[in-house]
Amino acid sequence: MSSGKSNKPSEQAVPDQTPEINLETSLVFDHIPDAFIFADLDWNLTYVNEKAEEVLRRPKESLIGKNILTDFPRTFGTDFETQYKKAKETGNPCVFETFFEPFNSWIEARIYPRHDGFLVYYLDITQRKKKEISWAIGESLLWDISTSDTLSSAFEKVLKTLIKNTAWTYGQIWRSKDNTVYINEEDPYVYGSDLQLLFRKESINKFFSIKEGILKKVSESGELYFIPDLVSDKELKRKDAAIAAGFRSWIGIPILSHGRFYEIELLSERVLNPEEAYLDLLGVVSKRFAEIVSRRVADEERKALIDLSSEIIVTIGLDCIIRKTNPAFQKVLGYERKYVKNKSLLEFIHPDDIELTKVKIASGRKEGFENRYITKYGQLRYIYWNISHSPESGSVFCIGRDITDDRLTILKLESFADELNVNREQLYNAQKLANMGSWTMEFDGKANWSPGLYEIFGLDPNDSPPGFEDFIQFIPPEDRVRISQNYEKFLSQGIFEETELHIVSKDGIEKILSVKGEGLLNRNGKFIGGTGTMQDITKEKEWNDSLRQLQKMEAVGQLAGGMAHDFNNLLNIILANLDLLELNLRETPELLKRVFSAQDAVRRGSELNRRLLAFSRKQALNPEQADVSHVISDFADILTRIRNDIVSIEFCLEDFPMICSFEKNGLENALLNLCLNSRDAMPQGGRILVSTGFSPAGKEHRSMIPGFVDMEDACIISVRDEGCGMDDRVLERLFEPFFTTKQSGKGTGLGMPMVYGFVKQSNGMVHVHSEIGKGTCIEIFLPLSRNPEITDENRNEKILVLERNLKGQTYLIALLRRLGFEIFPAYDLQEAKTVLENYPEMYAFFAEEEILSEDFDWEKFKNRDRIIIISEWNSQTEFDPSLKVLRRPYNWTKLKKMLT
């Protein structure tokens, strides 16, 4: 081994010729700190100093006279043999480093050829090489940690680097949760044998407490825990399993970072000393890894917060060009992030707010401001912004909060304040129409009745509201005990039980009232009385009785339908036998007359049976060709009658002729059922929207609706409401006969099965989308007729469509083809020019705005009388006034206007 002095050869110790080896010379050579030998020209050793004995691990007596090339088998095939021969052949000095496996050491050798032999220096550089290797491994580990995209990939790279470059042969990761550590099966690990893999599988099912044993030490101190020999260890709980897998050494490397705890576990089949275990290196890596984990987790949390934020976060340049956005931008405004990148933010702002926005961004002040944006779907949104400038990057960071609902709420509150007096009068009128009145009663004796309540009881509105003792006198004696008990319960417990009661008004009229109420609290939350309503439900009770009678009639109708079906089978048998008798009794007129009489009776029975089937709604379907929008428009007057004071119904019917084959009565009954269900689903009020639309064939339009991809062009009939919605359980049973969510007596459960039956008989499909608290949308798809008879349009013209938006192109082409136009779709300018050259008589030409701006040669085509440019609704391009511009989103009405 090296002496600790300089490892460089001493130049003074290099003689010009082989010295005379006497005792004095030998003593001088032995005190030279470098190991060296002399050999003759045939590589026979002539001298070995004491330092060389240490390096070569043999006494000089056993070395002198030996031939280096033939008498040392352990050097055969090594760098030593190669370099010795090279020095002899070339006569040039050689310097090399090599790992000598028999000594487990790194040796640096320097060979100096002489005229009478060779002088060789040997330096034991094992410690230096270990430090270099350790440094290289450390650098590799830190690089692995710093450049990994995720913690999992960082752990994987670290494990592989350690197992590849050190004596450790197995590694895995432990995580912490709820004061225990466990192995996540998806985390990386490295193993080298089936026994080690078995050890891994057994480890996965184990959970260990951080509050005890080795884990307590490493989690509290953050220091490595090294077990050189597992056989003599008494603390590792998995010691026996580790030894069974062939392991002898173990180390736990803690990674502590802001309350998070990970542990890298390494094992080896050999008993390792601290140097072989790389304890110093792993200690440094542990601390560095903790820093990286902390930073990485913070970055991931920050990114998650940005992505999950409901506020819009945008980075723009001083020129307002968008550089980055978070998902909230698309959620609020509808535009995809890839679409808005590198576009100006001003393109999406309401035109009246553009100048204000420019001034605010240019000022660099951090004061907040608001402006308006137009969404992808044409809606107006109010956004409140806070901005911050970064002079170094030239960026402006903007955080925007959607305050549309707040603004609308403020506008509503202002409107409510202005109309409060009017609304109060309307409330009184509404209560009067609903035979309802409101009341308030405080324990200190204060009471208040609305005018409607005075009217119900037949009292003078100028009189003071009656107290409970006076009120009880209006109630028949048989009900007074029950009402008194409810009143006492309300006073003592604050519980108001809704109830029905009979009264006799002051003018002697018997009435049934529905009483509802709740506790009344003051500003401090103290219970001070009650408030509620009383409604005269006398007529409603009578109506319910009538409704029950109607339901009985409905049941009779169902029974009649079933009986008529069976009776029809019997009539068929009787009529068939009578027809046979008629053939065999033509020679007996008297008997034949009786047969004729029986046949006539059977026909009358069939007519009666037909009426029974009509009553039970089981008559056969009679489809006919009709325009769906026209049928719904004619039926709209009937549908509007289901609206009331709090529920309205609106229509949005497409002008595009959509001819389908269906039964008109079936469609009308289906729409009526759907609208009634929508009304019943909105007890707090809302809107019903009945609309029609065109749905071209193709997966681009129906990929989200299972089973609809293969359907041809269709008409969509949509009924949408703002009701309570349906959960998955109700949706699963929606079309099940006799299933209903309505109260007993409110529905039979046959409405939706009838809708489903109509759709299926019409070869259509139905799709239902519903969300709890948001409403329901039911869409009926009826296939369009293949050859509709449309006579008011020219159908013998050619049209070129140049559009790269596949979905938009499919929709446009489908609309035009339904009217019989011959379509030539094109993807780029070159293809479009080729078509126009071959068909100069082209009737019309549709082209995207972006495509038209790609080629200056296109100018010669812009003078065509029938060119129609397809553009986005918010495009800032100024077109020639002679050109027609069709802006998205468009429908048949806009398209038809362009073609006329």
Side-chain angles (χ1 to χ4, degrees), residues 264-276:
I264 300 176
E265 181 182 43
L266 301 175
L267 297 103
S268 175
E269 292 90 344
R270 294 196 295 113
V271 176
L272 302 180
N273 58 43
E275 186 178 2
E276 293 174 314

Side-chain angles (χ1 to χ4, degrees), residues 387-654:
I387 62 175
S388 177
H389 285 247
S390 174
E392 293 79 8
S393 63
S395 298
V396 182
F397 304 104
C398 313
I399 299 180
R401 179 168 57 89
D402 185 359
I403 60 170
T404 306
D405 293 340
D406 296 342
R407 288 299 300 264
L408 294 178
T409 300
I410 292 173
L411 292 175
K412 288 180 180 179
L413 289 175
E414 292 174 350
S415 177
F416 289 158
D418 294 338
E419 300 176 2
L420 182 59
N421 293 329
V422 176
N423 289 342
R424 183 181 292 111
E425 185 66 27
Q426 291 177 343
L427 175 61
Y428 289 156
N429 293 335
Q431 288 184 348
K432 184 177 180 180
L433 291 173
N435 295 321
M436 178 185 291
S438 57
W439 56 270
T440 301
M441 179 188 67
E442 298 183 19
F443 295 150
D444 59 4
K446 294 180 182 179
N448 183 42
W449 277 25
S450 70
L453 208 53
Y454 280 98
E455 186 173 345
I456 291 174
F457 281 81
L459 299 175
D460 187 345
N462 296 319
D463 294 340
S464 298
F468 183 76
E469 295 300 329
D470 295 329
F471 170 77
I472 202 73
Q473 301 304 316
F474 290 96
I475 302 174
E478 60 271 18
D479 269 359
R480 291 179 183 176
V481 175
R482 177 174 62 87
I483 300 303
S484 296
Q485 290 175 347
N486 288 349
Y487 181 67
E488 293 295 333
K489 188 175 183 179
F490 175 68
L491 292 178
S492 60
Q493 304 178 28
I495 299 175
F496 191 98
E497 294 185 355
E498 298 181 3
T499 186
E500 292 183 3
L501 55 83
H502 291 74
I503 68 165
V504 179
S505 64
K506 189 174 182 180
D507 47 10
I509 300 175
E510 293 184 4
K511 298 180 180 181
I512 304 174
L513 304 184
S514 172
V515 184
K516 299 180 180 180
E518 61 182 5
L520 185 64
L521 305 178
N522 63 12
R523 293 181 178 179
N524 298 323
K526 183 180 178 181
F527 181 51
I528 60 172
T531 182
T533 61
M534 295 185 193
Q535 183 178 15
D536 184 354
I537 59 172
T538 308
K539 292 183 179 179
E540 183 180 344
K541 284 286 187 181
E542 295 174 354
W543 184 84
N544 286 338
D545 293 339
S546 300
L547 179 60
R548 282 191 290 272
Q549 183 63 26
L550 289 175
Q551 289 174 338
K552 290 179 182 178
M553 293 300 294
E554 179 72 16
V556 171
Q558 294 178 10
L559 178 61
M563 294 176 61
H565 178 75
D566 294 337
F567 186 49
N568 191 59
N569 294 334
L570 295 176
L571 290 176
N572 287 335
I573 296 172
I574 294 172
L575 186 60
N577 283 283
L578 289 174
D579 289 343
L580 292 174
L581 285 175
E582 179 185 355
L583 295 175
N584 295 322
L585 295 177
R586 293 191 179 277
E587 303 301 328
T588 54
E590 291 298 326
L591 293 176
L592 191 60
K593 186 187 297 184
R594 296 180 183 277
V595 171
F596 289 157
S597 177
Q599 287 175 330
D600 184 59
V602 171
R603 292 188 184 95
R604 289 197 301 272
S606 296
E607 177 63 21
L608 175 62
N609 192 60
R610 187 189 65 79
R611 293 178 182 177
L612 287 173
L613 286 172
F615 174 70
S616 63
R617 303 176 187 176
K618 293 186 177 180
Q619 59 269 34
L621 187 68
N622 297 312
E624 56 183 297
Q625 297 276 341
D627 188 325
V628 174
S629 295
H630 289 173
V631 173
I632 297 177
S633 178
D634 293 341
F635 191 58
D637 289 340
I638 302 298
L639 290 178
T640 54
R641 296 179 185 178
I642 71 167
R643 64 188 178 189
N644 53 34
D645 293 337
I646 59 175
V647 176
S648 63
I649 183 168
E650 302 173 4
F651 297 89
C652 181
L653 306 179
E654 176 63 82

Side-chain angles (χ1 to χ4, degrees), residues 29 31 93 120 161 222 233 259 294 296 333 357 455 488 533 603 611-612 633 668 706 819 843 853 862-863 869 884 886:
F29 285 170
H31 283 81
V120 183
T161 298
D233 178 68
S294 177
R296 185 65 52 79
L333 300 180
T357 304
E455 186 173 345
E488 293 295 333
T533 61
R603 292 188 184 95
R611 293 178 182 177
L612 287 173
S633 178
E668 292 171 352
L819 297 178
Y843 174 72
S853 63
K862 289 189 176 180
N863 295 325
I869 301 176
K884 296 180 180 180
L886 179 62

Side-chain angles (χ1 to χ4, degrees), residues 726-737:
M726 296 177 282
D727 57 23
D728 293 340
R729 181 186 64 84
V730 174
L731 284 173
E732 288 179 0
R733 303 185 62 189
L734 182 60
F735 298 112
E736 181 180 315

